[in-house]
Amino acid sequence: MVCPTHTGPRKPSVPKYYSTIDYRQDVGYSMDLLTCPYCAVAPKDAWLSTGFVVAVPQPKPLAPGHLMVIPRRHVAAFYDLDVQEQRMIWEAISQLCRHIAESVATEGYDVGFVDSPASGEPNFHAYLHLVPRVSGRRVALPKDAEWVDLGAQP
């Protein structure tokens, strides 16, 4: 079928994937939210700090190497993040697992997603726990998170 205003056949439009994030860009998310302790984490206080994610030691660790992995953008739930932001968090977790394994003998890792509670706490900032499973040590994982067993990491 030929479009009457054009000389050639009409091509169906195909939507392209669009991301709000350019992963090559250092966006400095939420650095101006100084009232949020997770937004205000200074790079010098972190194990890992990028434009997308920051990882800090858990103040009350369940095991050696227990970290909080925090998106730089202030969101109430992990799935509020863009796909590329989620990918950057998983890449950071993989890097952190390798780093932890250099100093602690691990059998695997547990990742806990902590999202805004049902009560809708204002200004809640979602984060993840990264808890190494250390040989001979059992820990009770907090019930305020949804846990995923990563198993042993390379």
Side-chain angles (χ1 to χ4, degrees), residues 16-53:
K16 294 182 179 181
Y17 171 75
Y18 176 76
S19 173
T20 58
I21 306 301
D22 180 349
Y23 69 92
R24 297 162 295 189
Q25 181 180 10
D26 182 12
V27 292
Y29 280 126
S30 306
M31 299 289 222
D32 56 339
L33 295 175
L34 298 178
T35 58
C36 173
Y38 301 138
C39 290
V41 171
K44 66 179 179 58
D45 297 327
W47 274 36
L48 174 83
S49 180
T50 72
F52 293 95
V53 63

Side-chain angles (χ1 to χ4, degrees), residues 34-91:
L34 298 178
T35 58
C36 173
Y38 301 138
C39 290
V41 171
K44 66 179 179 58
D45 297 327
W47 274 36
L48 174 83
S49 180
T50 72
F52 293 95
V53 63
V54 62
V56 296
Q58 167 68 15
K60 297 179 182 176
L62 300 174
H66 179 180
L67 299 173
M68 295 171 63
V69 182
I70 307 161
R72 280 287 187 189
R73 186 157 63 101
H74 190 102
V75 294
F78 178 77
Y79 292 106
D80 289 341
L81 296 169
D82 182 273
V83 172
Q84 288 185 349
E85 291 170 299
Q86 293 177 24
R87 183 182 64 124
M88 297 305 244
I89 287 176
W90 285 114
E91 287 179 8

Side-chain angles (χ1 to χ4, degrees), residues 8 10 14 16 38 43 74 86 93 97 112 114-115 118 123 127 141 153:
R10 180 186 282 199
V14 178
K16 294 182 179 181
Y38 301 138
H74 190 102
Q86 293 177 24
I93 287 174
C97 288
V114 182
D115 292 335
N123 297 324
Y127 63 92
L141 299 173
Q153 297 293 302

